[in-house]
């Protein structure tokens, strides 16, 4: 289970991303499973130090810049299926 602060960060990120998509006329582009997965992967790698500069953090975790990273955790038919777009599905791989 995620700590309260992490849940708050996830909620704020999701809300902001949904608003941004709506403001841009791209509400249909929002993908719940991809969004939650990316946030969880970042939180997992933070490992306690949230004061580290972005450049140092991403230098230690360059895989976070790989657009295909979520595919390591989901079969394509699940990750890109219609249910994953609207509902967070837990990783299966």
């Amino acid at each position: 289970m995620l700590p309260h602060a992490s849940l708050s960060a996830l909620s704020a990120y999701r809300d902001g991303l949904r608003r941004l998509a709506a403001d841009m006329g791209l509400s249909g582009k929002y993908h719940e499973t991809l969004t939650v997965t990316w946030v969880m992967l970042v939180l997992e790698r933070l490992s306690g130090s949230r004061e580290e500069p972005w450049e140092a953090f991403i230098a230690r975790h360059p895989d976070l810049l790989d657009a295909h990273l979520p595919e390591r955790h989901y079969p394509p038919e699940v990750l890109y299926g219609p249910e994953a777009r609207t509902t967070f599905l837990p990783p299966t791989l």
Side-chain angles (χ1 to χ4, degrees), residues 8-60:
S8 295
L10 172 59
S11 179
Y13 184 77
R14 288 165 66 208
D15 292 347
L17 191 55
R18 284 183 180 136
R19 273 194 311 276
L20 177 63
D23 290 349
M24 296 177 71
L26 301 171
S27 294
K29 294 285 188 179
Y30 178 80
H31 193 294
E32 178 71 3
T33 298
L34 283 174
T35 300
V36 174
T37 298
W38 281 109
V39 170
M40 291 176 73
L41 288 167
V42 169
L43 290 172
E44 174 185 75
R45 286 166 175 80
L46 280 174
S47 64
S49 175
R50 294 173 192 251
E51 300 300 319
E52 181 177 30
W54 168 252
E55 294 80 11
F57 174 76
I58 206 63
R60 288 190 310 112

Side-chain angles (χ1 to χ4, degrees), residues 63-81:
D63 64 318
L64 292 173
L65 298 177
D66 180 358
H68 299 285
L69 179 60
E71 294 170 4
R72 297 180 196 169
H73 303 279
Y74 297 89
E77 65 274 8
V78 172
L79 185 59
Y80 300 111

